[in-house]
Amino acid sequence: MKIESKLVMTLFCILFWYGNAVAQTPKVEQEMDNKRQHIVEVATLVGKGDLHHLKPVLVTGLNDGMTVNELKEVMVHTYAYCGFPRALRGLQTLVEVLAERKKGGIEDNWGREASPITDTRSKYERGRDILAEISGVPADASKAGYAVLAPEIEVFLKEHLFADLFERDVLTYQERELATVAVIASLGKGVEPMLRSHMNIAMNIGVTSDELRNLFAVVQRNIGRSEADAGRLVLNDLLHSKGLAVYSDAPSQILDDGVKVQKVAFHNRFLIDIAGDLYLPKDYDETKKYAAIIVGHPFGGVKEQTSGLHARRLAELGYVTLAFDASYYGESGGYPRRIESPEVRVEDFSAAVDFLSNHSAVDADKIGVIGICGGGCYSVSATQIDHRIKALATISMYDMGRARRQGVGDSQTYEQRMAILDAIGVQRTAEYSGTARKDIRALPEKVDASTPKFAIDFLDYYDNPERGQHPNSTGYYSYTSLAPMMNFFPFAQIETISPRPVLFIVGENAVSAYFSEDAYAKAAEPKELFVVPGATHVDLYDQPEYLQITLPKLDAFFKQYLK
């Protein structure tokens, strides 16, 4: 039975891949692992009350290595959504299965119990903070209408559901949310808002959209097509609200200049969904293949700012271009939010190459990259190890590793760096024990007479609604991210990019100019350092008088090397 099940799944995967390939879908479906499949199946069948089919599913789960306590916990969890009667009937079915197996000489692994709760705060406070953590909604946000009408039920939810249940670590938060979505989907019509809410939470804590799609395949198999299709509609609506569109036939928007922009999504090798805007030239011809350019945004930025502006302008010049949100930021996935991981940021560029290399509009041998500000150092690191990138340009590049180790202008001493690392260690210990996460802002919190001009320049871009202000770009990131950033050396093997070309564009008056100068000195030919007279770091983001200089330079560079 187990071999047959795996064979069916293998055939399903092959057929699914083939169907996607025919449709030129740029994203390959990722199945849930066996444990999550079992969790979803148990939750759907308990929610439906289908004990006849639940029994063999429990047997298969035990045979595949799930512990008794894990299966028990799934059913304990489901009672919060489908009620005691069905949860208790599910537990009774598990008792029967265990008794039959014991009679047949099978001793099942009970697994570990839930860890004792050591947090001395009230259950309400603990539940409140867990809900804020997994939902991303601040604990002091305005209360929902039902909570205003019936404040007691909000207390029950936070004390019991999000404290008593979610604190039981037999299942992870992700596994609990998959079980929740599965059981709500099995209930049928009338619970769509709750279904959407819990799918949003699931994605917020790292469940992929592909896992949710696979969940509805399980619902369809165990409950019915109408329930599964209803859930798929809610999921598609949620994905579109996040700017995520998995398939290449997502609707395009025609901009004033005739350029088409299309919402796309692809995942990196960590299975984090990356949200992007794909720009197609005005006279785009579906029968042709185009040179393509990936544009990476600055540290703390998002695709709707300077990277999107450059992507659009280069599409006007005839390229297919892609601006994307880095993992943990903007509309892309990744949890916890606002984590700065150099390895993942570098991987995002290669994931973008994966996507474009498989796109019907792109010549896979003509893919270039532009990295802006912090995106510049990450793009340099990516190009060193990804030979599919045929040409690299950076604009106002920041070496995020050096900047965090030594400060802007190398103003931070070794002793200061060591003190920061000591403080990060203290903070990590505290956060592991339950202390709230500490976030810091890359921009000044306030401006006074001592604020340097370059910092004011950044504020004039990121906090200015006429320029780069965007709700997804706050400038905040986790304090503990400083440590891996300090450990990042993006130019360690920059000479290995050769013989592929590198263009460093920098403003004459940019505070960051020395980063590009250092990279240029270490790089091998062909290389060029292009200095824009009079420009500051941020001027090159969006100021028209400087774009008139940099865009033709970029166009000439890519036309020369992507041919």
Side-chain angles (χ1 to χ4, degrees):
M1 186 71 183
K2 186 175 178 182
I3 295 174
E4 291 175 356
S5 175
K6 288 187 175 180
L7 179 59
V8 170
M9 185 58 68
T10 301
L11 290 171
F12 173 80
C13 291
I14 292 170
L15 290 171
F16 195 93
W17 178 88
Y18 178 76
N20 276 353
V22 171
Q24 297 178 342
T25 303
K27 184 174 183 179
V28 180
E29 284 283 326
Q30 297 296 313
E31 300 283 344
M32 287 184 287
D33 62 33
N34 279 348
K35 182 181 178 182
R36 293 189 177 193
Q37 290 269 2
H38 293 315
I39 287 171
V40 168
E41 282 202 295
V42 170
T44 55
L45 292 169
V46 170
K48 184 181 180 182
D50 186 348
L51 306 181
H52 176 70
H53 288 101
L54 174 63
K55 200 167 185 177
V57 166
L58 293 174
V59 170
T60 304
L62 290 167
N63 289 340
D64 275 355
M66 286 197 73
T67 69
V68 175
N69 281 330
E70 286 171 338
L71 290 169
K72 180 183 74 173
E73 195 70 27
V74 175
M75 286 178 269
V76 169
H77 182 87
T78 61
Y79 101 83
Y81 300 95
C82 65
F84 275 112
R86 289 191 171 175
L88 292 177
R89 291 292 285 138
L91 289 166
Q92 289 167 349
T93 304
L94 179 58
V95 170
E96 293 173 10
V97 167
L98 293 174
E100 291 174 6
R101 287 166 68 83
K102 187 173 183 179
K103 188 176 180 180
I106 301 174
E107 287 293 334
D108 286 303
N109 177 17
W110 279 75
R112 67 180 185 85
E113 299 280 351
S115 302
I117 303 302
T118 57
D119 193 329
T120 58
R121 295 177 301 158
S122 70
K123 284 200 294 186
Y124 181 86
E125 291 174 307
R126 300 190 326 251
R128 175 200 64 197
D129 291 347
I130 289 173
L131 176 58
E133 177 186 351
I134 65 177
S135 67
V137 177
D140 58 356
S142 299
K143 295 184 184 297
Y146 70 81
V148 175
L149 175 65
E152 59 271 22
I153 201 168
E154 187 211 22
V155 174
F156 297 161
L157 280 169
K158 290 179 178 174
E159 287 188 348
H160 185 45
L161 176 58
F162 292 106
D164 284 341
L165 289 182
F166 270 75
E167 279 188 312
R168 293 175 57 81
D169 58 1
V170 178
L171 298 177
T172 66
Y173 288 169
Q174 289 185 3
E175 289 164 351
R176 288 190 181 277
E177 283 303 324
L178 284 168
T180 300
V181 172
V183 73
I184 293 176
S186 73
L187 298 178
K189 294 181 179 179
V191 290
E192 289 82 1
M194 290 74 184
L195 188 60
R196 179 189 173 102
S197 174
H198 281 283
M199 283 194 287
N200 190 50
I201 290 174
M203 294 184 70
N204 195 42
I205 59 177
V207 174
T208 68
S209 58
D210 285 330
E211 286 180 302
L212 291 173
R213 290 187 186 281
N214 184 242
L215 181 150
F216 289 113
V218 176
V219 171
Q220 180 171 326
R221 184 169 65 247
N222 289 290
I223 307 299
R225 186 180 184 93
S226 62
E227 290 84 356
D229 285 346
R232 291 178 179 118
L233 286 173
V234 176
L235 175 58
N236 286 340
D237 183 64
L238 175 62
L239 292 176
H240 280 102
S241 74
K242 291 177 173 292
L244 297 174
V246 176
Y247 302 111
S248 60
D249 59 354
S252 298
Q253 177 187 358
I254 300 178
L255 305 177
D256 292 341
D257 51 12
V259 168
K260 295 180 180 178
V261 61
Q262 182 181 44
K263 291 289 185 184
V264 297
F266 49 94
H267 59 207
N268 61 25
R269 67 186 180 91
F270 301 107
L271 299 186
I272 297 173
D273 282 331
I274 308 300
D277 288 334
L278 184 70
Y279 293 82
L280 304 172
K282 177 180 179 179
D283 298 319
Y284 170 64
D285 183 346
E286 293 184 356
T287 66
K288 291 177 56 179
K289 288 188 177 290
Y290 293 78
I293 300 172
I294 298 161
V295 189
H297 61 67
F299 172 73
V302 289
K303 64 184 179 303
E304 289 82 6
Q305 297 166 331
T306 179
S307 60
L309 173 62
H310 278 81
R312 177 174 175 174
R313 292 297 177 83
L314 287 163
E316 292 174 359
L317 298 173
Y319 302 92
V320 169
T321 60
L322 173 67
F324 65 90
D325 285 335
S327 295
Y328 310 111
Y329 292 95
E331 294 177 328
S332 287
Y335 180 83
R337 305 302 293 166
R338 302 182 304 281
I339 292 289
E340 192 68 17
S341 169
E343 181 184 7
V344 179
R345 287 290 298 262
V346 170
E347 162 62 21
D348 288 344
F349 280 96
S350 286
V353 178
D354 295 340
F355 170 72
L356 288 180
S357 296
N358 286 279
H359 198 285
S360 60
V362 174
D363 185 333
D365 292 324
K366 297 179 181 180
I367 297 177
V369 165
I370 297 172
I372 304 174
C373 186
C377 72
Y378 295 128
S379 67
V380 167
S381 184
T383 304
Q384 291 169 170
I385 57 174
D386 195 331
H387 287 194
R388 298 171 300 171
I389 300 172
K390 302 304 182 184
L392 170 67
T394 68
I395 300 171
S396 296
M397 180 175 61
Y398 241 74
D399 178 346
M400 299 307 301
R402 182 174 173 181
R404 293 297 174 259
R405 286 189 300 274
Q406 299 170 226
V408 178
D410 295 336
S411 58
Q412 182 169 282
T413 66
Y414 174 85
E415 291 72 22
Q416 288 172 325
R417 188 202 321 170
M418 294 301 104
I420 292 172
L421 289 172
D422 286 340
I424 290 170
V426 171
Q427 184 64 28
R428 286 190 62 139
T429 300
E431 289 182 12
Y432 186 87
S433 67
T435 299
R437 192 180 96 169
K438 178 180 178 180
D439 280 6
I440 55 177
R441 198 181 191 210
L443 303 172
E445 297 282 1
K446 61 180 181 178
V447 174
D448 55 33
S450 65
T451 305
K453 182 182 181 303
F454 75 83
I456 294 174
D457 288 345
F458 278 112
L459 288 171
D460 186 54
Y461 180 77
Y462 286 104
D463 287 357
N464 185 347
E466 300 300 320
R467 296 184 69 189
Q469 188 181 70
H470 192 276
N472 288 343
S473 176
T474 65
Y476 285 95
Y477 64 105
S478 67
Y479 175 68
T480 57
S481 292
L482 289 173
M485 293 173 75
M486 287 182 184
N487 209 34
F488 182 51
F489 294 83
F491 308 149
Q493 51 179 353
I494 192 172
E495 74 282 356
T496 64
I497 294 176
S498 176
R500 292 167 296 151
V502 185
L503 168 66
F504 304 99
I505 298 179
V506 62
E508 179 185 21
N509 299 323
V511 67
S512 59
Y514 68 102
F515 294 132
S516 292
E517 292 164 357
D518 180 39
Y520 174 76
K522 293 176 178 178
E525 295 289 350
K527 61 181 180 178
E528 181 179 358
L529 180 66
F530 184 77
V531 180
V532 181
T536 66
H537 177 99
V538 181
D539 282 339
L540 299 188
Y541 284 11
D542 66 336
Q543 295 299 339
E545 62 267 36
Y546 297 113
L547 291 178
Q548 290 177 4
I549 299 171
T550 58
L551 287 171
K553 180 65 180 178
L554 289 165
D555 185 33
F557 173 74
F558 286 114
K559 275 189 167 58
Q560 178 181 357
Y561 291 108
L562 298 182
K563 61 182 180 181

